[in-house]
Amino acid sequence: MEDTAVANLKFKNGAYGALIGTTSCNPGEARRIELHGDRGTITVSGSSITRWANTVEEDGRAEDSEPPREIEIEGAVADPSDIGSSGHVFLVDDLVRAIREDREPYVTGESARGAVDLILAIYESARSGREVEVRHAG
Amino acid sequence: MAKDSKLGWGIIGAGMIAGHFRSGIEACPDAELVAVCNYNEEKGRKFAAESGGIRYYRDYQDLVADPEVHIAGICTPSGMHADNVIAAARAGVHSLCEKPLDVTREKMNLMIDACRDAGVKLGCIFQSRTSDEAIKVRNAIRNGELGKLVLADALMKNYRSQAYYNSAGWRGTWKDDGGGALMNQGVHGVDLLLWLIDDDVESVFARAEHKVRDIEVEDTAVATIKYRSGAFGTLIGTTSCNPGEASRIELHGNSGTITMSGTQITRWATTTEEDGRAADAFPPRQIAAAGNVGAASAVAPGHGFLVNDITRAVLEDREPHIPGESARKSVDLILAIYESARAGREIVMDDW
C-alpha cells in the first residue's frame, strides 16, 4: 500500500493535471486545489479560497479580485478523528430531505464513484508502468 | 596577465539580457566591456554607443577575433548559443552563456567538447543558484536535514501573452527557442530543483502541448519524475496560467519540509526525532503571485555574481560556478520530457 503517489492527468477537456497524494510529508499541510485557465486562476487551501483572479479581455492579464490571501498554512490533520462535523450534518439532512422529496441526494453514488475509479486507474498505471485510460461507468 | 590589467569582454547579442551582462561587467573590478556584436546593426550600434563607445561588430566571428576580447557574454537566442561558444573557443575566448546552454544534446556536446579541447572556460547563467536562500536550502539538504527525500516538485506557472510570443520571430519556435514554457521560462526552476536536491532523474513521463497560444512549442507541460534516490517529483511548466505567479519549489523528506517561492523561503520545518513531527521554524507562508509579464525580472544581482565569478575563474584557472556539464542537466531533462510527450511513454534517462 502506497504512502506516496504522483499522477499525471489529461482531462477530457484537454487540460492537464497533477495529483500528489502522500502521508509521508512531514509535517504536512492543508489540501490545495489550483485551477488555471487562460482567463484566470482560482486556488483553494483547505476550505479557504486563497486566490481569485480573472479577466474578460481577449489576451488580457487576469486581475486579482482582492490581494491573494497570505494565510497561515493550516496544519494537516494529525488525528484521524479530528474532522469537523458540519459536512456530515449537511449531507445527512440532505439525504433525509431527498427521501422525503423523492429526489437525488447532493452526492449520488454515480458521482461519488468517480474518485475511486480514478484512484484505481492510478494504481493500475503505477503497477503496469503504462498510461491508463480511465473508464467512466454510467 | 598583469594584475592591474582587466580582462576584456565582448557581448554577443544586444537584446534584452545584454544590459544585465553589461552591468555585471561594469561592477567587476577585473573586467572591462570592449565590444558588442548584433545582427541588427542599428540596435548593435546603439548599444555600443550607450556602453561608452565600445567597438561594434555585425558578425560574432569578428568579435571573438578581436584581440582584446578574452571572455564572451552569449546573449543570442537559445538555439544559437552553441555556434557562438564554439567560435569563441576556437579563437581562445572563454564564454559565459545565457540559459539554456543550447537546445539539443548534440549541440551541448559540441560546445562542451570545443571548450575543453581549447582549454577555455564555459559558464552558464542560472542566477537562481546564486541567492543566499538557495545556497542555504541546498546545504540543508546535503546535511540531511530533511532526511530521506520523498517528493521534490517545481511549479513554474508563468504568464506570457500572445503579444509576447509575437514580439520577436524566434520566440516559440523549435529552432531558436528550443521549446516553450519549459525550455525558456521553466529551465530556471528545473535547474534550481535538480541543484537543490543534488540528485538526478531516473525516469520521466510527461505531457507537453500548446493549449492556448498560437506557437510551435508547448505552453503547458506536466512531468512526473522518479529520481535516482527513489523520490518522486512533479514538474509543472506553463506560460498560459493567468495571471501567473512566482515559481515554487517544494521539497519534502521524512524529517522535514522546505519550500521556496521565487527567491524566498516560505516554509522550513524539520525534526531530529526518529518518527517525529517536523516543527516550523517560522509561520509558513503562501506568497502572493508576483507574475512577470516581461521576460527579465530583477535578476541583475545574479548576473553580477556570475560575471565576476567567471572573470575570477579565468584569472585563477579554476572552474566557474556553473560549468557547462552542470548546466546541461536541466536541458537534458526537458528534452526527455519533450520526447516522453511526443512518444506517449515513460523515458528512462539511461536508455535514451
Side-chain angles (χ1 to χ4, degrees):
Chain A
M1 205 173 61
E2 90 289 3
D3 62 28
T4 303
V6 178
N8 186 321
L9 310 176
K10 183 176 178 186
F11 293 97
K12 284 186 162 171
N13 63 12
Y16 292 158
L19 277 192
I20 301 170
T22 174
T23 49
S24 55
C25 276
N26 194 347
E29 60 186 48
R31 178 189 61 210
R32 281 179 281 153
I33 305 270
E34 306 189 2
L35 310 169
H36 303 277
D38 66 333
R39 296 286 177 94
T41 286
I42 294 175
T43 67
V44 178
S45 179
S47 51
S48 305
I49 294 173
T50 46
R51 187 164 207 198
W52 189 293
N54 66 338
T55 180
V56 297
E57 287 173 34
E58 187 83 31
D59 207 34
R61 196 80 186 275
E63 286 180 13
D64 288 286
S65 57
E66 50 178 75
R69 295 181 57 189
E70 282 196 25
I71 59 167
E72 280 213 15
I73 294 178
E74 300 166 30
V77 173
D79 176 0
S81 64
D82 182 18
I83 301 172
S85 61
S86 60
H88 284 76
V89 169
F90 176 101
L91 291 165
V92 166
D93 181 72
D94 171 79
L95 186 66
V96 169
R97 288 176 185 278
I99 293 165
R100 290 198 180 141
E101 297 162 20
D102 192 23
R103 60 160 175 83
E104 287 300 309
Y106 187 68
V107 181
T108 64
E110 290 85 349
S111 174
R113 72 170 295 160
V116 180
D117 286 332
L118 175 56
I119 290 168
L120 292 172
I122 288 170
Y123 291 161
E124 174 59 22
S125 176
R127 189 199 64 74
S128 66
R130 293 183 294 104
E131 188 175 15
V132 170
E133 192 180 317
V134 182
R135 271 172 291 282
H136 301 278
Chain B
M1 181 79 47
K3 272 192 189 162
D4 57 355
S5 76
K6 299 185 178 190
L7 285 178
W9 276 74
I11 290 177
I12 302 179
M16 208 185 315
I17 291 293
H20 291 317
F21 274 76
R22 178 173 56 197
S23 304
I25 293 162
E26 283 166 3
C28 175
D30 302 305
E32 184 183 2
L33 182 60
V34 301
V36 63
C37 88
N38 197 60
Y39 189 74
N40 177 294
E41 183 165 345
E42 188 187 334
K43 204 170 171 186
R45 288 202 182 277
K46 181 164 182 283
F47 186 93
E50 288 165 359
S51 307
I54 61 175
R55 286 188 286 287
Y56 163 76
Y57 297 97
R58 188 145 193 268
D59 189 339
Y60 62 88
Q61 302 278 9
D62 295 328
L63 178 140
V64 300
D66 184 317
E68 284 194 2
V69 170
H70 298 288
I71 308 178
I74 313 296
C75 306
T76 46
S78 308
M80 298 178 189
H81 290 178
D83 293 341
N84 300 148
V85 168
I86 291 166
R90 288 184 181 153
V93 171
H94 311 270
S95 287
L96 179 62
C97 188
E98 257 296 324
K99 60 79 186 167
L101 202 60
D102 203 291
V103 299
T104 71
R105 289 183 295 171
E106 296 69 31
K107 286 167 113 186
M108 291 193 294
N109 293 341
L110 287 171
M111 65 201 286
I112 289 170
D113 289 347
C115 290
R116 189 192 52 243
D117 293 345
V120 297
K121 313 295 178 195
L122 171 60
C124 191
I125 301 271
F126 276 118
Q127 51 271 48
S128 300
R129 294 202 202 182
T130 67
S131 75
D132 291 339
E133 293 87 352
I135 291 167
K136 190 174 169 194
V137 172
R138 177 169 149 97
N139 288 340
I141 291 169
R142 294 180 90 185
N143 291 337
E145 289 193 40
L146 297 190
K148 180 170 157 61
L149 267 194
V150 173
L151 289 171
D153 305 328
L155 307 151
M156 299 152 299
K157 298 182 175 181
N158 291 298
Y159 174 80
R160 295 290 185 272
S161 63
Q162 186 62 47
Y164 160 86
Y165 281 108
N166 296 344
S167 72
W170 62 274
R171 294 199 190 284
T173 66
W174 285 113
K175 180 172 172 289
D176 291 324
D177 217 344
L182 278 179
M183 187 64 84
N184 190 318
Q185 289 79 15
V187 69
H188 287 289
V190 175
D191 175 79
L192 181 61
L193 177 65
L194 294 176
W195 185 70
L196 289 177
I197 64 175
D198 199 16
D199 195 359
D200 291 313
V201 170
E202 182 180 288
S203 63
V204 59
F205 176 86
R207 303 181 204 274
E209 214 172 75
H210 44 265
K211 294 283 177 200
V212 294
R213 295 288 173 254
D214 180 22
I215 51 180
E216 289 177 16
V217 298
E218 90 287 3
D219 63 27
T220 306
V222 177
T224 301
I225 288 174
K226 183 176 177 189
Y227 298 100
R228 292 201 190 276
S229 65
F232 291 162
T234 298
L235 285 190
I236 297 175
T238 172
T239 48
S240 54
C241 277
N242 197 344
E245 60 186 46
S247 291
R248 285 178 279 157
I249 301 270
E250 306 191 355
L251 309 171
H252 302 274
N254 69 340
S255 60
T257 285
I258 292 175
T259 66
M260 296 185 73
S261 181
T263 52
Q264 297 185 60
I265 296 170
T266 45
R267 187 166 207 194
W268 189 294
T270 55
T271 180
T272 48
E273 288 173 35
E274 185 85 29
D275 208 30
R277 194 81 186 273
D280 284 289
F282 54 83
R285 303 193 289 145
Q286 280 179 214
I287 302 283
N292 301 316
V293 180
S297 53
V299 296
H303 280 80
F305 178 111
L306 292 166
V307 163
N308 184 66
D309 169 76
I310 196 163
T311 306
R312 299 295 324 161
V314 170
L315 290 169
E316 297 162 16
D317 192 22
R318 58 160 174 85
E319 279 301 288
H321 188 64
I322 306 172
E325 293 87 345
S326 178
R328 71 170 298 158
K329 290 185 175 192
S330 51
V331 179
D332 287 330
L333 175 54
I334 291 168
L335 291 170
I337 286 171
Y338 291 158
E339 176 58 19
S340 174
R342 190 201 64 75
R345 57 179 180 80
E346 187 178 27
I347 299 291
V348 176
M349 297 299 281
D350 285 344
D351 297 342
W352 175 67

